[in-house]
Amino acid sequence: MSLELLDAVVGYEIALWNHLDSHLTDAGEVSLAVFSALRVVEGHGGSARIRELQDELRITVGSASKVADRLERDGLALRRPNPTDRRSSLLELTDLGRERFRSAEIEVRAALSDHVRSARTSVPDVVSALRTLDDALTATAVR
């Protein structure tokens, strides 16, 4: 097999990231990196562990901790002791964090909708194919 798949997937991921990040920043929103972290925390009911940031963003624990520091520094989240596990803390969205997430989410959805419409492709088919490939890779990596 040629390396065309690698070139296509990585190239598209980079182009899509840059497109969405530019769209967000041009609209005066948070960066795509910050939006992604807010999305993880919001997806856990507005309160998530650093481990969940690490796992869902697929970054190192050190990078996840730095992202949490950035969210806290910018007033988007607060760290609180985890009442069920003294070894970890919870990252909780502030009102500003929820507001910035919701606003950025609208922008991301609009940009994705415009992009997919212009590509004339089926989103469910693309998502299904990518998830199948991701699941196969994840299953292989676990072994």
Side-chain angles (χ1 to χ4, degrees):
M1 176 175 277
S2 72
L3 297 177
E4 289 178 45
L5 176 63
L6 175 67
D7 294 342
V9 171
V10 172
Y12 179 69
E13 188 273 337
I14 292 167
L16 180 63
W17 182 277
N18 291 338
H19 171 73
L20 294 175
D21 192 57
S22 292
H23 186 84
L24 282 170
T25 56
D26 289 350
E29 299 293 344
V30 296
S31 69
L32 186 56
V34 170
F35 171 74
S36 297
L38 292 173
R39 187 168 178 253
V40 170
V41 179
E42 179 65 20
H44 285 272
S47 180
R49 296 176 303 140
I50 300 298
R51 177 63 189 233
E52 286 148 352
L53 282 177
Q54 175 190 358
D55 290 347
E56 294 180 36
L57 296 177
R58 298 180 185 195
I59 57 179
T60 65
V61 70
S63 293
S65 185
K66 287 179 184 176
V67 168
D69 290 344
R70 186 178 320 145
L71 294 179
E72 196 169 28
R73 179 198 71 209
D74 294 345
L76 302 174
L78 296 171
R79 286 188 207 223
R80 305 242 188 246
N82 186 339
T84 61
D85 182 357
R86 294 186 326 213
R87 298 169 294 163
S88 69
S89 59
L90 295 174
L91 193 62
E92 293 183 359
L93 294 182
T94 61
D95 290 342
L96 177 61
R98 278 187 201 85
E99 178 185 311
R100 298 302 301 267
F101 168 74
R102 286 187 197 110
S103 180
E105 181 182 31
I106 291 166
E107 292 296 330
V108 168
R109 287 181 185 276
L112 285 171
S113 179
D114 290 346
H115 169 61
V116 170
R117 190 176 319 108
S118 71
R120 297 184 181 142
T121 188
S122 163
V123 173
D125 288 346
V126 173
V127 170
S128 177
L130 289 172
R131 285 192 175 147
T132 298
L133 290 169
D134 187 43
D135 289 347
L137 187 60
T138 303
T140 303
V142 172
R143 292 181 196 170

